[in-house]
DNA sequence: CTTGACCTTCCCGCGCAGTGGAACGTCTAC
DNA sequence: GTAGACGTTCCACTGCGCGGGAAGGTCAAG
């Protein structure tokens, strides 16, 4: 099948498919005499894996590592398990950061209800957001 | 004071200060005859506001809006309150997304412990991550 | 033969918040 | 007068995941 059919079958644009190939996340397919890419049926499954892994929040870089591990040394299950565990850890940290940030933003919003706009000196931009409160950067 | 002193006093690099000015988040300061930027004391406070607002997770675009509202029509408190409320809402949504994603990743990790690597067909990349499970996209 | 759908490669752009470096001007101390 | 610490501008690059469009080649139908 050609790239257009693969795109239609997988729901991924031809642009994205070529991008994945260039990024190393999909192997370079065979070419027809015309230069057109020629895909076999497995390409649909590989593409489905890429989308599933993306839906799990993995980056293309991480997926590329999984795919090349698979190509070099068989099923990369342990690698994938480690990756998922590590990913779960970073999700937890990120959630904790955002939760702390949410609490901080809520404090500011609440604080605003007790302040008088007239008390806002021109030298400040807005006294609702005070300097150096040690908020967690959202990186 | 010159830009280097402002940088030292505020803990922000000269690069970032010039970047803020170009982005419209800081007003263009006066210039000396040499062309050097000349800052008054209020610049330190404006910069502190920018950093505090960033620590609260606001983007430079949002901060720019607050600053220009301040310049055009006095204390932007209501604007800021609305902004914070809206920001809290998007933080909540983001946290919910990431929490759902974390649950999904945990399910995958757990599932991996019940699978046999030998069962992983070559046509798949890795059977730990199955296709089309309807995971929430992380963006 | 020509039209139109498909394919190829290529580079540019987005949004975000800067950082790095080049090439050059300025000020201060010795 | 010269070293070096500071300042100025501009352009490029980072990571992420593509999308848009140009300029051209290929293939089937009418």
């Amino acid at each position: 099948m050609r790239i257009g059919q693969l795109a239609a079958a997988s729901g991924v644009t031809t642009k994205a498919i070529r991008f994945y190939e260039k990024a190393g996340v999909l192997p370079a397919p065979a070419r027809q005499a015309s230069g057109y890419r020629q895909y076999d049926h497995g390409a649909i499954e590989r593409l489905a894996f890429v989308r599933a892994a993306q839906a799990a929040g993995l980056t293309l870089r991480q997926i590329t590592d999984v795919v090349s591990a698979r190509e070099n040394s068989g099923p990369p299950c342990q690698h994938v398990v480690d990756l998922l565990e590590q990913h779960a850890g970073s999700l937890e940290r990120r959630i904790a950061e955002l939760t702390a940030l949410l609490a901080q933003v809520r404090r500011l919003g609440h604080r605003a209800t007790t302040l008088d706009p007239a008390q806002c000196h021109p030298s400040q931009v807005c006294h609702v957001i005070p300097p150096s409160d040690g908020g967690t950067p959202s990186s």
Side-chain angles (χ1 to χ4, degrees), chain A residues 58 62-63 66 78-88:
Chain A
L58 300 183
Q62 291 172 320
I63 300 170
V66 170
Q78 191 53 47
H79 181 185
V80 169
V81 169
D82 292 348
L83 188 55
L84 289 178
E85 198 167 330
Q86 177 188 332
H87 185 50

Side-chain angles (χ1 to χ4, degrees), chain A residues 8-138:
Chain A
S10 63
V12 179
T13 65
T14 60
K15 280 284 190 183
I17 294 172
R18 279 188 276 256
F19 176 78
Y20 291 160
E21 178 184 333
K22 200 167 140 201
V25 70
L26 286 183
R31 297 290 183 131
Q32 293 172 346
S34 60
Y36 287 11
R37 287 174 178 81
Q38 178 69 27
Y39 293 97
D40 57 7
H41 191 76
I44 296 180
E45 287 177 24
R46 278 188 290 271
L47 210 35
F49 172 78
V50 172
R51 294 306 244 190
Q54 278 193 309
L58 300 183
T59 66
L60 282 188
R61 180 76 170 106
Q62 291 172 320
I63 300 170
T64 301
D65 290 348
V66 170
V67 168
S68 59
R70 169 75 182 183
E71 280 169 8
N72 296 332
S73 54
C77 291
Q78 191 53 47
H79 181 185
V80 169
V81 169
D82 292 348
L83 188 55
L84 289 178
E85 198 167 330
Q86 177 188 332
H87 185 50
S90 70
L91 281 176
E92 276 180 347
R93 282 191 298 278
R94 185 74 180 134
I95 289 170
E97 279 174 14
L98 291 184
T99 302
L101 192 55
L102 177 59
Q104 165 75 355
V105 169
R106 288 227 183 287
R107 267 198 301 278
L108 292 178
H110 180 71
R111 173 188 146 84
T113 65
T114 69
L115 292 176
D116 178 8
Q119 294 300 314
C120 195
H121 293 282
S123 65
Q124 297 170 287
V125 176
C126 174
H127 63 165
V128 170
I129 300 179
S132 59
D133 244 21
T136 302
S138 70

